[in-house]
Amino acid sequence: MARRHEGLRAGFSTHRAFEPKLIQPLFQTEDYARALLIGGGSPKVEEDVAERMARQSILDRAFVTAVLDEEVLRRPIGSPAIMRDQLSHVLKVAERDNVLVHVIPATFDTGAYPGLDGALTLLTGDDFGEVAYTESLGGGRLISSPREVAEFAILFTRIMGAVLPAGQSVALIRRVMEEAFQSDDDVAEE
């Protein structure tokens, strides 16, 4: 979310997010975030990394539900070591009592599902009710209209219809980490 929404970010109690293209920023390691920002051509990589890391304090005060597409787990960002550490970090975050991580499996049974065209976050707070934030190429949009927020809440519910249960999601993340991102030594030997 853009910096102008910092006050809103501080006042919410639930954070529901779907990210079809990358590990969501709340769960990113510094190295993964840095690799993404360098690859994306950010002119202020270290400042942006620091901002993302500071934003992760949300995990200490809100209930977070995160939905990731399986392809996000397999997309090589940085190096095998960076990806292995990133997936390990997601697994650690998923152990928290206030965090649920779900993965949408990349199978023909799942196929195309609602939401593939962009990221979606729903925030709920005592001071503002519920708002939605969507992202696509070129920027994001904060939505506060109750009618539109309700439409995005329905979209998130439809996305949740495609997820694996939390335990199976964690097992899939672990399996991808072990199979796809071997140690650097193993990769060098091949």
Side-chain angles (χ1 to χ4, degrees), residues 1 12 19 27 73 130 134 144 184:
M1 241 184 278
F12 64 84
E19 179 55 68
F27 294 176
L73 307 175
E130 187 168 47
T134 62
S144 59
D184 290 334

Side-chain angles (χ1 to χ4, degrees), residues 37-53:
L37 292 163
I38 289 169
S42 172
K44 48 192 175 67
V45 171
E46 292 309 316
E47 182 181 329
D48 289 344
V49 168
E51 180 186 334
R52 285 188 187 191
M53 296 306 107

